[in-house]
Amino acid sequence: MKKNRQTALIHAPRKAPQYISTVQPPLFRASTIIFESTDALFNRHWTDRYDYSYGTHGTPTTFTLGDQIAQLEGGEYSLLAPSGLSAINLVNSCLLAHGDEVWVANNIYGPNMEHLRNLQTRYGIDVKVYNPIDASTFQPSDKAKLIWLEAAGSITLEFPDLTQLVKKAQAHQVLTVLDNTWGAGLAFNAFDFGAEHLSVDITVHALTKYPSGGGDILMGSVVTRDQKLHHQLFRMHAIQGIAISGDDAAQVQRSLASMQVRYEHQSQSALTLMQWLKQQPEFAQVLHPADSASAGHTYWEEICTNGHSAGLVSVIFQPEYDLKAVRAFCDRLSLFKLGFSWGGPISLVMLYDLKGMRALEHTHLQQGLLVRFCIGLEHPQDLIQDIENALKQLKILQNE
Ligand SMILES: Cc1ncc(COP(=O)(O)O)c(C=O)c1O
């Protein structure tokens, strides 16, 4: 058929051969996916593993990344979301209904708690908080539907008693969901951990951190080994219109090749820093699960048998350092940049006042302002030097 120029520009007459072998898989960008025939349209079903029907549903690019994340974490099925928090919200909105009870660790990622509190107010979901290092504080009623776990927990980095918490949840038919961002599938296998080879039901992962590794992409995942659960989550994912861009998926996919090397490097640097920080008199407490003085250390030893941790370490300043002083410390750091998140190339610092941040009181933490260091890929000795300089200036300021 002879075509007008405008049509010919759209329906290109020549097509280069489509498939060559490349280091990275080809990138698909799609909202519309074109069916070869009505047979192809009607013979597909949304439960097919790779059902290509519309961009929100998945493309080879997003399915490839999803498969890799599931494999990394020891799971089977995965869903991708535009941020870690949207992956968390997908789980909450899919699995919780009016009258359900949900259990949340005291040190859970703050916005997750906020989302659950919002559901509590609007939909009558009962939010209960437990102490992650004391499994006896998790007391599910017959309305309990879900328990949120995080290993190690946000900011204060207590490692939970995963074994007892998961066993108790299983005994009460409570679904276990782990925020796996810290372990990232590399510190331990959430679907086969500990001497008893226990497994959580679902993991959520902020791919924004280590899988992206660049500090420039937001993404999250939900992984399970249970096909029925996956389909339930998949339906909610579809009706909520949760989708990610092919470009972002390709970027994360590309970074996965270096993820383990980065994670192990950052884990080692954090240990080096932690040892040094412990010697500094300005800090009342140094928090890192690999440190024998940190809460939950024995659970970390039991689960993270390869000795790895995310590159995070928190310190609590001695009480004489007030907000003005701790702010001055943060402002005087040069390599550590003030910003949220972690897992990227640049080291980050953030300060927190724990007062009012937790539902339960914590007796294992000293009074004082908390600073969290997120270790990037810089040389650890330079990072130590940076903190040492800021502490020196802080002392001068205190003595003025
Ligand atoms: C433990 C944890 N889970 C989830 C998230 C949310 O990830 P995102 O920033 O991609 O929404 C974060 C972000 O800081 C986090 O620290």
Side-chain angles (χ1 to χ4, degrees):
M1 182 174 107
K2 186 164 168 16
K3 302 181 193 94
N4 286 301
R5 182 176 291 146
Q6 171 60 23
T7 306
L9 281 171
I10 299 166
H11 297 267
R14 285 199 211 113
K15 223 177 189 183
Q18 292 285 293
Y19 298 105
I20 55 168
S21 191
T22 51
V23 175
Q24 302 298 337
L27 161 60
F28 289 84
R29 293 189 186 93
S31 48
T32 298
I33 291 172
I34 295 167
F35 297 98
E36 288 295 323
S37 64
T38 52
D39 266 359
L41 171 65
F42 291 116
N43 291 341
R44 53 162 281 274
H45 193 265
W46 68 269
T47 56
D48 297 340
R49 178 127 197 179
Y50 304 109
D51 170 41
Y52 297 121
S53 55
Y54 192 61
T56 49
H57 207 85
T59 65
T61 303
T62 62
F63 283 133
T64 300
L65 175 62
D67 282 354
Q68 276 188 283
I69 297 297
Q71 188 187 23
L72 165 73
E73 295 195 43
E76 179 62 32
Y77 306 99
S78 79
L79 293 167
L80 300 176
S83 68
L85 185 55
S86 80
I88 289 171
N89 292 353
L90 168 64
V91 170
N92 286 334
S93 58
C94 178
L95 300 176
L96 294 172
H98 179 80
D100 285 344
E101 182 179 282
V102 55
W103 283 84
V104 195
N106 197 31
N107 56 6
I108 205 79
Y109 175 57
N112 187 0
M113 181 74 93
E114 229 176 286
H115 184 237
L116 288 167
R117 294 279 186 216
N118 184 284
L119 295 180
Q120 177 170 34
T121 312
R122 294 190 300 137
Y123 302 125
I125 288 158
D126 197 4
V127 180
K128 302 267 194 203
V129 182
Y130 69 92
N131 177 356
I133 49 175
D134 178 1
S136 72
T137 60
F138 167 46
Q139 296 181 337
S141 77
D142 54 6
K143 289 186 180 158
K145 185 71 190 290
L146 201 97
I147 177 171
W148 270 100
L149 305 148
E150 195 174 313
S154 279
I155 302 168
T156 42
L157 302 169
E158 297 90 349
F159 203 92
D161 186 355
L162 267 191
T163 301
Q164 294 311 320
L165 289 164
V166 167
K167 278 171 78 168
K168 198 164 185 179
Q170 287 174 348
H172 289 83
Q173 277 93 48
V174 176
L175 283 171
T176 48
V177 189
L178 173 77
D179 185 326
N180 204 18
T181 308
W182 182 94
L186 294 170
F188 64 96
N189 182 346
F191 294 94
D192 182 1
F193 64 87
E196 296 178 58
H197 298 281
L198 295 168
S199 170
V200 297
D201 294 303
I202 299 169
T203 57
V204 164
H205 191 163
L207 307 182
T208 307
K209 318 295 181 204
Y210 290 104
S212 151
D216 55 352
I217 291 176
L218 290 155
M219 200 178 290
S221 62
V222 179
V223 168
T224 177
R225 272 186 178 175
D226 181 325
Q227 194 185 52
K228 204 164 148 237
L229 203 49
H230 172 67
H231 284 161
Q232 198 181 339
L233 289 156
F234 200 171
R235 290 310 289 164
M236 184 57 80
H237 186 266
I239 62 174
Q240 288 187 345
I242 295 174
I244 58 157
S245 90
D247 292 87
D248 284 353
Q251 296 260 31
V252 174
Q253 146 80 36
R254 194 173 185 274
S255 294
L256 286 182
S258 63
M259 180 179 165
Q260 183 165 355
V261 177
R262 289 183 280 108
Y263 190 91
E264 290 178 7
H265 181 85
Q266 283 163 310
S267 168
Q268 193 52 48
S269 297
L271 284 182
T272 306
L273 247 86
M274 181 262 280
Q275 299 297 356
W276 180 83
L277 291 165
K278 282 182 63 154
Q279 311 306 317
Q280 310 313 307
E282 291 83 358
F283 305 129
Q285 214 172 353
V286 176
L287 309 172
H288 187 291
D291 179 33
S292 57
S294 277
H297 168 70
T298 52
Y299 306 131
W300 172 81
E301 265 186 329
E302 178 197 333
I303 306 295
C304 300
T305 47
N306 63 14
H308 292 312
S309 304
L312 296 170
V313 52
S314 294
V315 293
I316 297 183
F317 271 83
Q318 299 285 4
E320 68 254 34
Y321 294 97
D322 60 8
L323 183 60
K324 187 164 167 255
V326 177
R327 281 178 60 170
F329 166 78
C330 293
D331 287 335
R332 275 161 182 75
L333 289 165
S334 145
L335 294 177
F336 282 93
K337 305 295 180 194
L338 191 61
F340 291 105
S341 205
W342 33 291
I346 290 185
S347 291
L348 298 172
V349 63
M350 187 47 65
L351 71 165
Y352 299 90
D353 185 353
L354 288 175
K355 279 192 220 91
M357 272 183 66
R358 303 285 197 230
L360 303 181
E361 248 184 78
H362 23 57
T363 48
H364 61 281
L365 295 176
Q366 306 278 339
Q367 297 293 318
L369 292 161
L370 184 147
V371 163
R372 183 182 71 175
F373 298 107
C374 309
I375 314 305
L377 290 167
E378 301 93 338
H379 196 289
Q381 289 311 324
D382 294 334
L383 296 176
I384 287 175
Q385 187 68 59
D386 195 29
I387 299 174
E388 199 166 27
N389 290 344
L391 286 176
K392 265 189 211 144
Q393 292 177 40
L394 186 61
K395 263 183 237 153
I396 298 169
L397 214 76
Q398 289 285 94
N399 294 331
E400 270 171 9

